[in-house]
Amino acid sequence: MTATAPPADGERAAPAATLRALLGRPELGSVVGAAAVFLFFAFTADSFLRLASLGTVLYAASTIGIMAVPVALLMIGGEFDLSAGVMVTSSALVSSMFSYQMTANVWVGVAVSLLVTLGFGFLNGFLLTRTRLPSFIITLGTFLMLTGLNLGVTKLLSGTVSTKSIGDMEGFASARALFASQLTLGGVTLKVTILWWLGLVALATWILLRTRFGNWIFAVGGNADAARAVGVPVRRTRIGLYLGVAFCAWISGQHLLLSFDVVQSGEGVGNELIYIIAAVIGGCLITGGYGSAIGSAVGAFIFGMTSKGIVYAEWNPDWFKFFLGAMLLLATLLNAWVRARAEASR
């Protein structure tokens, strides 16, 4: 009879190391939450599992996810941006009004909007690094200024709270193809924003995990003074993160404009909180230094499933905010538990 040799130490350690790595992933809690939300609506809403519903859910998730990605990176870096929601509207308004008032090609308005929106992002980062005021105060001020500018300038130039139609202008069709088109794949209608969203998640994940700038983001969010002491360019990192938020606000703004060819100047107020919620549900800590772009994508997907699942279940949509708040609390508690388990297993 042949005796069986006991497993080597390395063989026993491998599963334990894999478990520790899994528990240490910031998005683990959000993945568990997403599975729970999916199963919940799969049983309570008959139409939730239809292919057509999948495209609708993904579209709702992508409109939030495009902004949740840079907001998550900003939160990992230890900062907030309360102007992100109205900045999307500002971007759309600049494109529309510049194109219409200057009778220019729509692409000229799109390009000018990019420069102006990046200017807003740079202003946030510059003021933060120069004044040393909390990002909450800086971006709250920017939020209020942009809200007033959006309404005031729109009424001044168009006489109403919405922009003029640019649907018949040169360049509109090609710009719409890039920012607001759709395609059918396997019977599912997918908006181009889904591709933008997935591309941004992949890019942000590569930046966080494979580049020096990603290391700087985690270092600045973990302890800015310690990061500065070892040579991390804290100011440049923070400004770069705000520029990232502005760039994604430009993408979202062009989609908003080119989907309907007019923009309401009061849109976007309150969306900044949804972007933050998606990032927090995805595993980002309010204190900074911890999180992932993939987690923000899962948080946005939970948002999409919840917002559309309530409709498919034929419930009163007034309950949406309740579910959103409950998910925020549960996700925060679950993420804290997962992180504590990960630290205890080291």
Side-chain angles (χ1 to χ4, degrees):
M1 185 174 180
T2 305
T4 302
D9 291 342
E11 293 175 352
R12 287 196 300 266
T18 302
L19 180 61
R20 284 195 298 270
L22 181 62
L23 288 174
R25 293 301 306 166
E27 62 273 6
L28 176 61
S30 61
V31 171
V32 174
V37 171
F38 179 85
L39 291 174
F40 177 77
F41 284 113
F43 284 104
T44 57
D46 294 335
S47 58
F48 184 75
L49 295 179
R50 296 175 184 173
L51 284 178
S53 301
L54 175 62
T56 304
V57 168
L58 287 174
Y59 174 60
S62 68
T63 56
I64 299 301
I66 288 175
M67 289 302 297
V69 170
V71 168
L73 265 62
L74 186 63
M75 290 181 65
I76 295 171
E79 305 297 343
F80 290 96
D81 191 347
L82 297 181
S83 67
V86 292
M87 195 184 297
V88 171
T89 306
S90 299
S91 173
L93 290 172
V94 171
S95 291
S96 178
M97 288 189 288
F98 191 89
S99 298
Y100 185 86
Q101 298 296 330
M102 301 299 177
T103 62
N105 187 297
V106 170
W107 280 106
V108 177
V110 170
V112 171
S113 175
L114 174 60
L115 295 177
V116 172
T117 309
L118 289 176
F120 293 148
F122 178 82
L123 177 64
N124 278 335
F126 179 79
L127 290 176
L128 176 71
T129 56
R130 290 298 180 181
T131 64
R132 295 185 179 273
L133 289 173
S135 57
F136 178 89
I137 299 298
I138 295 290
T139 58
L140 178 60
T142 311
F143 161 79
L144 294 172
M145 290 190 293
L146 289 179
T147 301
L149 280 174
N150 289 349
L151 180 60
V153 175
T154 303
K155 292 184 71 174
L156 179 66
L157 295 181
S158 66
T160 65
V161 296
S162 65
T163 60
K164 303 295 185 181
S165 173
I166 61 169
D168 58 349
M169 293 188 65
E170 184 180 354
F172 181 85
S174 57
R176 189 172 196 172
L178 179 61
F179 293 104
S181 61
Q182 63 184 35
L183 59 106
T184 302
L185 186 64
V188 180
T189 300
L190 301 175
K191 298 281 190 178
V192 72
T193 50
I194 298 172
L195 301 181
W196 277 105
W197 175 37
L198 296 178
L200 288 169
V201 171
L203 176 61
T205 300
W206 175 76
I207 289 174
L208 283 176
L209 301 181
R210 293 289 183 266
T211 68
R212 180 182 299 176
F213 186 68
N215 292 332
W216 292 348
I217 294 173
F218 282 108
V220 171
N223 189 321
D225 292 333
R228 188 179 293 108
V230 297
V232 173
V234 174
R235 288 183 177 179
R236 278 193 292 157
T237 301
R238 286 173 170 165
I239 292 175
L241 290 172
Y242 278 103
L243 288 174
V245 174
F247 177 74
C248 291
W250 171 73
I251 295 173
S252 296
Q254 305 321 295
H255 172 70
L256 176 65
L257 169 63
L258 297 165
S259 293
F260 307 103
D261 83 31
V262 296
V263 184
Q264 298 292 326
S265 59
E267 292 187 47
V269 177
N271 285 350
E272 63 281 345
L273 296 179
I274 295 177
Y275 306 149
I276 293 172
I277 289 171
V280 172
I281 290 175
C284 292
L285 294 181
I286 299 294
T287 53
Y290 190 80
S292 72
I294 295 175
S296 75
V298 178
F301 186 53
I302 291 176
F303 173 91
M305 287 192 293
T306 304
S307 62
K308 299 307 175 184
I310 288 175
V311 175
Y312 294 140
E314 299 181 354
W315 296 345
N316 188 329
D318 293 339
W319 286 97
F320 171 68
K321 291 293 178 65
F322 171 81
F323 278 97
L324 197 61
M327 284 190 301
L328 174 61
L329 291 175
L330 290 174
T332 303
L333 292 172
L334 183 58
N335 290 335
W337 179 82
V338 168
R339 191 180 187 208
R341 295 281 296 178
E343 291 177 348
S345 63
R346 289 174 183 172

